[in-house]
Amino acid sequence: MPFMTTQELLSQRRYTQDDIHRLQQLMPELQGDNRQRAVSTIANLRGQLDTIAAELAMANAS
């Protein structure tokens, strides 16, 4: 992840949370491969949230 300011990290966290929420809302309509891709994407986005949280923790520690 490139260097981001705290404000950029907070914005990125919000966008990522919104993306997860939108995918979760679509899940009942998805079937087969599309559903599997959505599940994988949500897992990847949650990993990004973990990375953002760690970056924010480091920013707050300094």
Side-chain angles (χ1 to χ4, degrees):
M1 177 181 295
F3 175 79
M4 292 183 171
T5 65
T6 300
Q7 191 62 36
E8 289 170 327
L9 286 167
L10 292 171
S11 292
Q12 189 62 42
R13 180 177 67 180
R14 184 71 194 140
Y15 296 142
T16 304
Q17 290 169 332
D18 288 347
D19 289 343
I20 291 171
H21 181 71
R22 278 192 293 275
L23 280 170
Q24 288 173 331
Q25 286 182 318
L26 288 174
M27 286 297 277
E29 301 170 22
L30 300 176
Q31 297 176 7
D33 289 343
N34 289 334
R35 187 175 186 85
Q36 272 307 113
R37 277 193 286 269
V39 168
S40 294
T41 300
I42 289 170
N44 288 336
L45 290 170
R46 286 189 174 139
Q48 289 177 25
L49 283 178
D50 291 342
T51 301
I52 292 168
E55 293 285 331
L56 285 168
M58 283 191 293
N60 289 330
S62 55

